[in-house]
Amino acid sequence: MTDSTQNGSQPVIELKDVKVHHHARGGKLFRPNIVKAVDGVDFTISRGETVGIVGESGCGKSTLASVLVGLQAPTSGDVLFHGKPAIKRNAALRKEFGRSVSVVFQDPSTALNPRMTIQDILTDPLQIHGIGTAATRAAKVGELLALVGLPQSAAEVTPSQVSGGQRQRVAIARALALDPDIIVADEPTSALDVSVRAQVLNLLSDLKTQLNLGMVFISHDIQTVRYVSDRICVMYFGRIVEQGTASQVFDTPSNDYTKKLLGAAPSLLHI
Ligand SMILES: Nc1ncnc2c1ncn2[C@@H]1O[C@H](COP(=O)(O)OP(=O)(O)OP(=O)(O)O)[C@@H](O)[C@H]1O
Ligand SMILES: [Mg+2]
């Protein structure tokens, strides 16, 4: 069985045996130190499913996320976008990829331009993609704010004038501006105060259902991943060592590392 047929839809992105190797500093000329950040990963993501990626710091989660959103070309392997090779993209495909796949980073304070108003931050992707008129773009900003549970008045202020949780809502609204198929969220709640983590998680999972998005949810906290994911991939040293539904992974972990991860630190989320 493959997950690629889930919901009867073709995966939006498919990775086949993707490797990202870095030459680390300090390596010898004839024996370079190679960091195998991602080391042979097969992965699919379709609309309507949330796939969680969990693993300890340095196991390659963010590198995998960069490949998924097109920020990092793999050293080897294939990236398919709607079934078509997407590594050597032409301008049109790059634009289509950028519209279809968006990303939410860990820290909204650095991900959002502090000098722009929230109105401008949300209008920016629409302008770059040449979507709509000034009036339709302004209406879209209003819709986006409502979608992520922010008051319309938030449009007039800058990111530093709202709370950390609200800033992450702005980042999520920006990620939704182009009506993407997939959102890749890399530790989207880790930089937030514990008290607002659950709210932001709930927002992401509500949006995923409401908009039939595909979501890749990355975290080092397996309890958080369990809470939102339909399917979980456990990463260890650049590889996916276990994959399955939340209950398969939690109730019958087959891999020793997964067992260790499950026995490790309790969730930081109080849910
Ligand atoms: N540009 C680079 N050059 C060399 N090594 C790199 C580079 N980028 C990442 N790495 C290494 O690749 C490995 C995977 O890094 P990555 O950031 O993907 O891990 P991660 O799972 O996201 O970790 P964290 O949970 O801390 O965010 C690490 O060992 C990292 O040091
Ligand atoms: Mg990371």
Side-chain angles (χ1 to χ4, degrees):
M1 191 195 92
T2 67
D3 292 300
S4 58
T5 51
Q6 193 158 335
N7 301 333
S9 60
Q10 193 191 39
V12 177
I13 307 176
E14 186 167 6
L15 305 184
K16 287 186 173 171
D17 197 21
V18 160
K19 295 182 181 169
V20 179
H21 292 179
H22 297 290
H23 289 272
R25 261 184 252 167
K28 308 245 169 25
L29 183 59
F30 296 106
R31 262 195 318 138
N33 290 340
I34 292 184
V35 179
K36 297 179 175 178
V38 174
D39 198 24
V41 163
D42 294 318
F43 184 85
T44 63
I45 177 76
S46 305
R47 282 199 84 129
E49 63 169 353
T50 301
V51 181
I53 299 178
V54 67
E56 66 198 32
S57 182
C59 71
K61 305 181 297 296
S62 295
T63 308
L64 186 62
S66 320
V67 173
L68 282 171
V69 302
L71 290 172
Q72 163 96 52
T75 314
S76 67
D78 294 318
V79 179
L80 303 180
F81 175 59
H82 291 293
K84 291 193 214 94
I87 291 178
K88 292 208 172 85
R89 287 180 285 259
N90 58 28
L93 188 60
R94 196 173 305 131
K95 202 166 179 189
E96 176 54 20
F97 195 98
R99 193 207 58 73
S100 167
V101 184
S102 57
V103 61
V104 176
F105 292 107
Q106 176 169 350
D107 190 351
S109 317
T110 51
L112 302 173
N113 186 334
R115 285 182 235 283
M116 283 165 81
T117 61
I118 291 170
Q119 170 96 34
D120 290 342
I121 287 171
L122 298 180
T123 311
D124 201 40
L126 299 167
Q127 264 167 346
I128 289 173
H129 280 255
I131 295 171
T133 61
T136 61
R137 288 197 285 260
K140 181 75 182 180
V141 169
E143 260 173 52
L144 289 167
L145 289 172
L147 203 55
V148 299
L150 286 172
Q152 298 294 312
S153 57
E156 291 140 38
V157 300
T158 60
S160 61
Q161 290 168 290
V162 299
S163 72
Q166 288 173 326
R167 261 198 296 282
Q168 194 59 307
R169 286 173 192 264
V170 174
I172 293 167
R174 187 183 59 176
L176 294 171
L178 299 172
D179 299 320
D181 299 314
I182 303 290
I183 287 199
V184 177
D186 188 358
E187 306 265 11
T189 58
S190 308
L192 304 180
D193 193 87
V194 172
S195 63
V196 297
R197 284 185 186 166
Q199 293 168 19
V200 171
L201 274 188
N202 285 334
L203 171 68
L204 281 170
S205 74
D206 290 350
L207 288 170
K208 173 243 170 183
T209 310
Q210 195 181 337
L211 305 172
N212 190 35
L213 292 170
M215 191 156 78
V216 180
F217 187 92
I218 296 174
S219 175
H220 57 272
D221 178 21
I222 197 160
Q223 300 297 340
T224 307
V225 167
R226 171 187 215 170
Y227 181 65
V228 294
S229 305
D230 304 312
R231 185 154 62 86
I232 295 177
C233 299
V234 178
M235 263 187 104
Y236 187 57
F237 280 107
R239 293 171 176 272
I240 292 177
V241 293
E242 176 131 9
Q243 184 161 188
T245 61
S247 64
Q248 280 166 350
V249 170
F250 274 80
D251 302 340
T252 52
S254 62
N255 183 276
D256 283 346
Y257 175 68
T258 313
K259 288 178 193 158
K260 200 176 125 215
L261 204 62
L262 287 170
S267 174
L268 295 171
L269 260 183
H270 300 289
I271 46 173

